[in-house]
Amino acid sequence: MDSDDAAVELRKLLTEAAHVFSEYVRESQQPGAQVSGRIQGVIADAAQSESDARMFPDAGVGSRVWDDVRDVCAGAANTWSSAFLYKLYAAPAPMGIVGETLLAVLNNNAHVTRAAPSGAAIERAVARKLAQLLGFPSSADGLTFPGGSYANLHALMTARNTRFPDVRTRGMSNVRGAVFTSAHAHYSIDKAAVAAGFGLDSVVYVPTDSVGCMDVHKLRKLMLESRARGVEPFFVNATMGTTVLGACDPIASISRVCREFGAWLHVDGSWGGPHALFGDDPAFSVHNIHIDSFVVNPHKLLGVPLQCSFLIMRQGLNVMRRALGLGATYLFHDEQVCGESDVPCDVGDATLGCGRRPDAIKFWLMWRYYGTQYFTNRVALARNTSLRLAELVRTRTSLLGRWVLVTEPASTCVCFWFVPCALNDKRSEWGGATRRMCTHINDGGSMLLDYATVDVFDGTNTCTLPEFFRIPINNPSVSSATLNDVLNAIESAAAELYP
């Protein structure tokens, strides 16, 4: 295919794609639109282990592929609906989709600067802007990663190799280190500890208070006990926006403890980081706090298409290169230098992988197109909507049962129970009722909700709460009507299941 043919075909395909995609988005945003996917067409054949002749034809289907595209859409979860309140993301902003398409058109690999010159420059500019917004020193820098879990792993691996440099050559045989994290932290910290060779037995789970924030006094006590056993407390993970309750650990106090022990302080702001970047809640501010690394996922609260995660390093990229780089000269020639005189631009050597998407481009294009105020407004709207939902739960009355808030929302997750009258005095059955009602609603297809449970400190002991509804607010289209629809759906499910 010559260049003209490729350009003509691309224009034709993108024109048709624009029609199909915009049609899907328009229909997906209509009231009552299907939210849970229903697999159909040739995809259903594959799911049922039918012959693969239709799924993988010898001769291409040509323009009939748009029927397949529509089938894919029909079988997808509808994140464009305001009734998609299932996970910590929602539909992307339209300019983000343009950015995602641009990445595919360019097909650049950001491991080496010459392979993605504009992508590398944008990534560095965005990382440094985020560092500035966080109040980090001018030495700070960062990289994109395919998700917060992978970014957390890189933070832990960098901290490990910085604290125990012999690991790079001799392995883990003589290393005794402990990782400290809140009992409410994301499971990726556990996985990172396993991948880094410490194992789950080296992860110390710090209890939380009644609202899900790490207990700093217990943290210090546990770190002292670890050091007394000869196990170095080298890494502490604080969470900004816990996965379930959306709580923010007391980072300033944690930082002081880390400084006392010489421990690396990492902040997993995958979910709550936008509140520190674009919000005005002082509980999320990290200015003038010593943090070694910070993760934020713009693909969550900020509406950037999946995936887009940033890891910001206080000491810049050289600390990652020293910890993780191998200097593969057949690939990384270090021909160019950017910014700091000793920091090469070929950043792939600062990661555990090689190939990298220049994901910063789509975030930056959104920033250019919508402006900083767009992100500020998204964060404020999500926070206000969460508070509105909490108020509805707190004040709503029902003949079918009672509404109970788990805790006041700290960010943009609202957690609560609806207790059918028959179970009012049977707390042990609240969790089962939540699961049944949630499944009943999700099976209906027009709304997707989720539930969760956590351990909390009740003032005397740590107890496991019965499962409760967990409603994350991401989508700017979630309105007061949406919130009432959610509560009505739960009451309707209770009426059917607990008549």
Side-chain angles (χ1 to χ4, degrees):
M1 179 182 295
D2 62 34
S3 59
D4 286 343
D5 288 344
V8 170
E9 182 180 13
L10 179 61
R11 183 182 182 88
K12 177 182 177 183
L13 290 173
L14 287 179
T15 300
E16 184 63 25
H19 171 72
V20 173
F21 294 169
S22 59
E23 175 188 69
Y24 167 72
V25 170
R26 181 183 59 79
E27 293 177 352
S28 297
Q29 292 182 309
Q30 297 301 309
Q34 185 76 13
V35 180
S36 58
R38 293 179 178 174
I39 297 176
Q40 62 186 40
V42 68
I43 307 169
D45 294 343
Q48 297 168 11
S49 300
E50 298 289 337
S51 169
D52 64 359
R54 288 186 63 211
M55 192 75 173
F56 307 101
D58 291 331
V61 298
S63 61
R64 283 185 292 147
V65 76
W66 298 111
D67 294 332
D68 297 334
V69 170
R70 291 183 174 91
D71 287 341
V72 171
C73 291
N78 176 10
T79 61
W80 290 92
S81 170
S82 61
F84 179 84
L85 298 163
Y86 188 53
K87 299 299 179 185
L88 304 183
Y89 60 91
M95 180 49 71
I97 297 173
V98 173
E100 187 70 44
T101 305
L102 177 59
L103 292 182
V105 171
L106 299 176
N107 204 35
N108 277 196
N109 190 334
H111 62 330
V112 173
T113 297
R114 288 195 186 277
S118 58
I122 291 169
E123 179 176 32
R124 191 139 219 234
V126 174
R128 291 190 163 189
K129 181 62 177 178
L130 295 177
Q132 179 190 55
L133 291 173
L134 290 170
F136 276 33
S138 59
S139 60
D141 212 329
L143 297 173
T144 59
F145 286 93
S149 296
Y150 200 43
N152 287 336
L153 170 62
H154 276 74
L156 178 56
M157 294 287 278
T158 300
R160 183 200 69 177
N161 291 5
T162 299
R163 177 61 183 82
F164 308 106
D166 288 347
V167 166
R168 285 170 52 87
T169 53
R170 300 179 184 176
M172 292 285 291
S173 57
N174 296 317
V175 172
R176 298 192 70 197
V179 173
F180 293 79
T181 189
S182 159
H184 288 193
H186 192 264
Y187 72 91
S188 60
I189 302 300
D190 297 17
K191 286 198 170 186
V194 172
F198 291 102
L200 290 177
D201 287 347
S202 294
V203 180
V204 180
Y205 303 102
V206 184
T208 66
D209 60 19
S210 60
V211 294
C213 298
M214 183 188 290
D215 186 321
V216 181
H217 297 294
K218 288 187 171 65
L219 168 66
R220 187 176 184 278
K221 180 175 181 290
L222 289 167
M223 292 177 77
L224 283 170
E225 292 174 353
S226 180
R227 180 165 283 177
R229 294 193 306 271
V231 181
E232 184 62 21
F234 81 101
F235 184 91
V236 176
N237 171 70
T239 306
M240 179 177 285
T242 54
T243 306
V244 176
L245 298 181
C248 182
D249 288 336
I251 296 171
S253 299
I254 294 171
S255 177
R256 287 191 289 271
V257 174
C258 288
R259 299 284 278 175
E260 176 187 349
F261 285 82
W264 182 290
L265 174 56
H266 173 66
V267 175
D268 179 6
S270 297
W271 170 226
H275 291 274
L277 293 165
F278 302 105
D280 58 5
D281 187 340
F284 287 82
S285 175
V286 293
H287 281 254
N288 303 314
I289 300 175
H290 186 97
I291 295 169
D292 294 290
S293 53
F294 187 99
V295 169
V296 62
N297 287 358
H299 68 235
K300 291 185 175 176
L301 192 53
L302 299 182
V304 179
L306 286 159
Q307 291 169 303
C308 183
S309 301
F310 269 89
L311 172 60
I312 307 300
M313 306 295 288
R314 184 182 193 85
Q315 301 176 50
L317 298 185
N318 257 355
V319 66
M320 296 182 70
R321 290 173 64 88
R322 287 191 297 267
L324 306 175
L326 295 175
T329 55
Y330 68 88
L331 179 61
F332 305 114
H333 304 316
D334 291 348
E335 297 175 294
Q336 304 175 56
V337 175
C338 27
E340 305 162 43
S341 60
D342 61 343
V343 181
C345 284
D346 294 344
V347 297
D349 197 34
T351 73
L352 294 170
C354 183
R356 306 178 63 249
R357 281 166 52 93
D359 282 323
I361 290 176
K362 55 191 176 186
F363 185 22
W364 176 73
L365 283 178
M366 282 182 58
W367 208 326
R368 288 282 293 172
Y369 184 75
Y370 297 116
T372 303
Q373 194 61 45
Y374 172 80
F375 299 125
T376 301
N377 290 344
R378 277 191 73 118
V379 172
L381 179 60
R383 176 64 175 151
N384 291 335
T385 303
S386 300
L387 294 175
R388 193 182 315 133
L389 175 56
E391 181 64 17
L392 286 173
V393 171
R394 189 186 303 106
T395 59
R396 189 176 175 106
T397 58
S398 173
L399 296 176
L400 299 169
R402 63 189 178 100
W403 295 90
V404 182
L405 269 179
V406 174
T407 184
E408 292 295 328
S411 53
T412 52
C413 273
V414 186
C415 300
F416 56 86
W417 291 281
F418 181 72
V419 184
C421 291
L423 306 180
N424 194 40
D425 298 321
K426 300 177 181 178
R427 186 179 173 88
S428 62
E429 297 183 33
W430 289 11
T434 300
R435 294 194 301 271
R436 287 188 68 194
M437 288 184 284
C438 192
T439 300
H440 183 81
I441 292 168
N442 291 347
D443 287 347
S446 60
M447 182 178 291
L448 274 179
L449 306 181
D450 204 2
Y451 60 85
T453 181
V454 291
D455 293 338
V456 297
F457 186 68
D458 63 6
T460 305
N461 301 297
T462 297
C463 61
T464 301
L465 296 179
E467 285 90 340
F468 47 80
F469 288 98
R470 182 202 64 161
I471 308 297
I473 304 297
N474 285 289
N475 193 335
S477 68
V478 173
S479 64
S480 294
T482 307
L483 303 181
N484 280 299
D485 286 345
V486 169
L487 303 187
N488 289 338
I490 293 172
E491 288 186 354
S492 295
E496 292 189 42
L497 297 172
Y498 298 94

